[in-house]
């Protein structure tokens, strides 16, 4: 029998308890041994819950119980989640987590501690909720060099952008609707400003390229500046605007970033709507593969956590191959200014000006797309650098520059 | 050092040699040990190939060499591929394969032999080419009951249907074009009649539900009867026609089948075009997840084979958890007549008849969609059984019945 402790009995923590209980049969059949929830750590009491007798308030009870061999950290936030995880690993307990903040900031250190103590530190649920992505990336693409990652990594912003696209609603109105429905937090900054997606893309980049870059050091744009007109102009040109976590290597250095991007309708990422997530990986041997599913939610996230619990238990006598990455230094991060891609400019034309495609081409050089709606103009250009794009946008009347996929 | 032998040096076999050679560094870093191709079994010689010195013509050289611990069977066909695989497993060598014919027909037996000898029998590449699907299904969804599988499992037919949809071209013309481009075999029966997809859906159903059903005993329809008008009518109603391998449980019995289906444009499967494959899994905890990528091709398929090779080597001291399923008997297979779903009827209206939606509803009861183009009519009905659907179709003028997703 393996004893598991759950740290934090919020949405995901209670989901993990539910999955382990409801699908006990299938899990134990796979493992060939019994799995028992011994403790649930939370500051609150849960009278009436079927798990109320398991609740403890003192972390040391779990830490000091040698019978607990797997700990599921579902607390959220950096502290004390990081500290508790570290203590458990050092005590020879495997830790599984959905906590992207801890993995993005302390993952390299915790993996090293896990390795040193012969236990597992697993975090499938930290990216893409219930979507299998970390294990497939490390195992199924083991013989590939990952070349590029593009992911819709945040369900809240994808829900908002989908509504803006399908219903022509304004950002602020959709955000309010999402908050009312519980899809967005009362303080939505971490989602709409791209911070959540930044944590996730640095985790994926660390797994793909071996270096953990701080989410605070990468270029991050959210979706607050996107107007319904921008969305309409892009759609007219055959593109959807999505908030994309992107990472690639430029001259052997790593460039992760988060920003809205135009995705052509022919690309499978463009069809990922509502709260769903999708991650498209480019790799040298397999080409492109995409993983799609629910990026959040109680049971989907718990499903991923439980896969890690099963993995940790199955390999508790050793044999699990942990991902490996180390903390990046400044020299590992590519210069953002070296990044080039095609651009989508949106700007306002003066009332008296007759803006034809020919006149636009005189300004931008060869263009790949041109659309005009009322007094707003959308232009798709050839590849250019960040500096060039900013310089052009600043000269245009109310000009904005988007990146293309 | 681990020595690997490759059986069959055709498209996939030579791809495996290429991946193991070209990405030797990344593979050996992951494994922490050297991987060496010791033999390649083929009837032919390959003068000028960098691997020509490794070619042997006698299987016994490989079987009797105790230094070979992993064998990649890339021969295709049932015999001698099955016989060689069995002999290798019995000799204590792990076997990995892309051979869906062997896995669909002999998988349960070979898995049992592998287990008895403490070695691996892995077949990630047998379904979905390079797409990670088998390992994620077994590992990442370990805490889920799989409830339903729907997959675009054959690239050739998906290419043909995409062309018919986008260009309005007729089946026969697109097939010829696909043959000229090398996407379809000169004898295309296995693809266009759904046999290839049938082998793949029974493999997925075996992994999901634990019972291996013979591909010869399931309902299989191909795409040869689909007309461009059928495709157009479906598109007008908001659906794409795709060849779908489907499996679900009905009253605790398993029902796998292959047939064209109407997929609503809002479903991510409908956007999977050309030679790509996609598998949408329904599971009780995670909800729906989809895996997308290249369903065939030299390097993508080799990528999946090499993931299995890495897995087999990493766990060669034991510890690998093999999928488990046993051979189904007749009582495991659900009665096809018990299957119900919504239907799409296509038929011809008589020249003098003014066919309105109201008149159609009088015949079909409540309908969910109605479209008329020239003298062809498309009607989407409520759920009905196979018998009911056939009875209605046979009474209609040139009537056909499609299943809906």
């Amino acid at each position: 029998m393996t004893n598991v402790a759950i740290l934090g009995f919020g949405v995901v923590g209670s989901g993990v308890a539910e999955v382990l209980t409801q699908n006990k049969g299938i899990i134990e059949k796979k493992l060939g041994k019994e799995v028992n929830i011994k403790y649930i750590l939370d500051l609150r009491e849960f009278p009436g819950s079927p798990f109320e007798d398991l609740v403890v308030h003192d972390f040391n009870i779990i830490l000091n119980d040698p019978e607990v061999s797997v700990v599921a950290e579902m607390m959220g936030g950096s502290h004390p989640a990081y500290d508790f995880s570290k203590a458990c690993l050092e005590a020879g307990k495997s830790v599984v987590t959905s906590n992207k903040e801890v993995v993005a900031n302390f993952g390299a250190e915790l993996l090293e501690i896990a390795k040193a103590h012969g236990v597992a530190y697993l975090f499938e649920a930290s990216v893409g909720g219930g979507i299998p992505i970390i294990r497939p990336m490390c195992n199924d693409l083991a013989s590939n060099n990952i070349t590029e990652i593009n992911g819709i990594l945040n369900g809240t912003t994808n829900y908002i952008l989908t509504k803006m696209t399908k219903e022509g609603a304004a950002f602020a109105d959709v955000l309010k609707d999402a908050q009312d429905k519980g899809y967005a937090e009362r303080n939505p900054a971490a989602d709409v400003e791209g911070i959540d997606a930044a944590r996730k893309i640095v985790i994926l980049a660390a797994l793909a390229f071996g270096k953990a870059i701080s989410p605070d050091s990468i270029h991050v744009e959210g979706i607050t500046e996107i107007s319904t007109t921008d969305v309409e102009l892009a759609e007219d040109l055959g593109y959807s605007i999505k908030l994309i976590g992107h990472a690639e290597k430029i001259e052997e250095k790593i460039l992760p970033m988060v920003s809205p991007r135009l995705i052509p309708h022919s690309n499978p990422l463009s069809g990922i709507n509502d709260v769903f997530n999708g991650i498209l990986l480019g790799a040298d041997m397999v080409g492109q593969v995409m993983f799609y599913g629910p990026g959040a939610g109680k049971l989907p996230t718990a499903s991923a956590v439980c896969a890690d619990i099963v993995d940790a238990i199955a390999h508790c006598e050793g044999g699990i191959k942990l991902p490996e990455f180390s903390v990046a230094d400044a020299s590992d991060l590519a210069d953002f200014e070296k990044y080039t891609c095609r651009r989508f400019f949106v700007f306002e034309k003066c009332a008296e000006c007759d803006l034809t495609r020919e006149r636009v081409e005189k300004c931008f050089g060869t263009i790949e797309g041109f659309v005009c709606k009322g007094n707003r103009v959308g232009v798709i250009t050839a590849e250019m650098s960040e500096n060039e794009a900013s310089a052009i946008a600043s000269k245009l009347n109310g000009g904005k520059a988007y990146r293309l996929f």
Side-chain angles (χ1 to χ4, degrees), chain A:
Chain A
M1 185 171 80
T2 303
N3 285 296
V4 176
I6 297 172
L7 311 186
F9 202 57
V11 174
V12 181
S14 61
V16 170
E18 190 175 327
V19 173
L20 288 178
T21 308
Q22 199 169 316
N23 281 352
K24 194 175 172 64
I26 191 172
I27 291 168
E28 294 184 348
K29 193 177 166 210
K30 284 230 165 90
L31 278 170
K33 63 173 92 171
E34 206 185 321
V35 180
N36 176 53
I37 306 173
K38 187 160 183 185
Y39 304 109
I40 291 168
L41 180 74
D42 206 287
L43 294 174
R44 299 162 290 179
E45 299 285 351
F46 296 89
S49 154
F51 303 103
E52 73 171 301
D53 292 345
L54 307 179
V55 175
V56 296
H57 307 300
D58 178 4
F59 169 65
N60 289 308
I61 296 173
I62 294 166
L63 183 67
N64 297 325
D65 186 337
E67 284 188 348
V68 174
S69 53
V70 178
V71 174
E73 184 274 295
M74 311 284 118
M75 309 177 79
S78 280
H79 301 284
Y82 156 73
D83 314 273
F84 287 3
S85 299
K86 188 175 169 181
C88 288
L89 294 170
E90 286 172 340
K93 301 176 194 303
S94 288
V95 174
V96 304
T97 187
S98 60
N99 190 327
K100 57 226 163 211
E101 196 176 323
V102 168
V103 179
N105 288 299
F106 307 102
E109 181 195 352
L110 294 173
L111 278 170
E112 204 171 310
I113 296 172
K115 202 179 168 191
H117 290 81
V119 292
Y121 182 61
L122 300 172
F123 41 86
E124 179 62 66
S126 67
V127 181
I131 307 172
I133 172 65
I134 290 178
R135 202 174 284 102
M137 194 169 160
C138 296
N139 297 345
D140 291 86
L141 304 184
S143 64
N144 286 259
N145 287 293
I146 309 279
T147 51
E148 193 174 330
I149 306 166
N150 286 286
I152 295 171
L153 300 171
N154 179 273
T156 305
T157 46
N158 204 45
Y159 175 82
I160 293 172
L161 290 174
T162 303
K163 282 270 180 189
M164 288 173 70
T165 305
K166 291 197 172 165
E167 298 170 12
F171 170 76
D173 298 334
V174 187
L175 174 60
K176 197 183 165 302
D177 165 66
Q179 286 173 321
D180 292 345
K181 284 190 173 141
Y183 291 167
E185 310 270 347
R186 283 293 130 198
N187 177 358
D191 290 323
V192 300
E193 288 172 12
I195 300 163
D196 176 75
R199 289 175 182 142
K200 292 166 176 170
I201 194 65
V202 301
I203 295 174
L204 294 178
L207 293 162
F209 306 128
K211 291 285 175 183
I213 292 167
S214 163
D216 303 327
S217 65
I218 72 170
H219 178 85
V220 179
E221 287 169 55
I223 65 164
T224 56
E225 302 298 316
I226 302 174
S227 74
T228 47
T229 313
D230 299 351
V231 170
E232 277 170 26
L233 293 172
E235 288 288 330
D236 282 356
L237 288 167
Y239 295 82
S240 300
I241 300 184
K242 298 286 185 186
L243 184 67
I244 298 289
H246 171 93
E248 64 177 279
K249 274 194 162 181
I250 296 177
E251 296 171 2
E252 289 308 299
K253 298 189 177 197
I254 307 156
L255 189 66
M257 68 173 91
V258 174
S259 73
R261 270 180 199 257
L262 270 68
I263 312 289
H265 289 159
S266 59
N267 186 293
L269 283 176
S270 88
I272 294 179
N273 290 320
D274 302 316
V275 294
F276 285 91
N277 285 14
I279 300 115
L280 185 67
L281 298 178
D284 60 351
M285 293 301 160
V286 77
Q288 296 217 314
V289 289
M290 190 182 80
F291 304 85
Y292 162 94
K298 177 178 176 170
L299 293 178
T301 308
S303 158
V305 172
C306 290
D308 281 350
I309 291 177
V310 168
D311 217 2
I313 295 174
H315 296 90
C316 62
E317 290 99 27
I320 197 165
K321 193 76 190 152
L322 296 183
E324 278 185 41
F325 50 81
S326 56
V327 177
D329 57 40
S331 70
D332 293 314
L333 191 60
D335 182 1
F336 185 57
E337 293 309 328
K338 290 209 170 158
Y339 180 72
T340 64
C341 69
R342 294 186 298 151
R343 310 282 168 167
F344 174 59
F345 291 99
V346 188
F347 55 96
E348 203 167 304
K349 72 181 177 86
C350 18
E352 66 277 11
C353 155
D354 175 32
L355 202 67
T356 61
R357 186 176 175 124
E358 288 66 37
R359 292 181 68 159
V360 170
E361 288 203 317
K362 274 198 186 138
C363 301
F364 288 91
T366 311
I367 61 172
E368 297 189 17
F370 169 72
V371 64
C372 188
K373 257 199 166 153
N375 66 341
R376 295 293 283 176
V377 181
V379 174
I380 292 176
T381 70
E383 291 205 355
M384 61 177 71
S385 72
E386 292 296 324
N387 273 342
E388 287 171 294
S390 312
I392 291 176
S394 68
K395 279 185 216 154
L396 299 167
N397 193 6
K400 287 193 236 176
Y402 289 91
R403 294 173 191 85
L404 261 76
F405 180 81

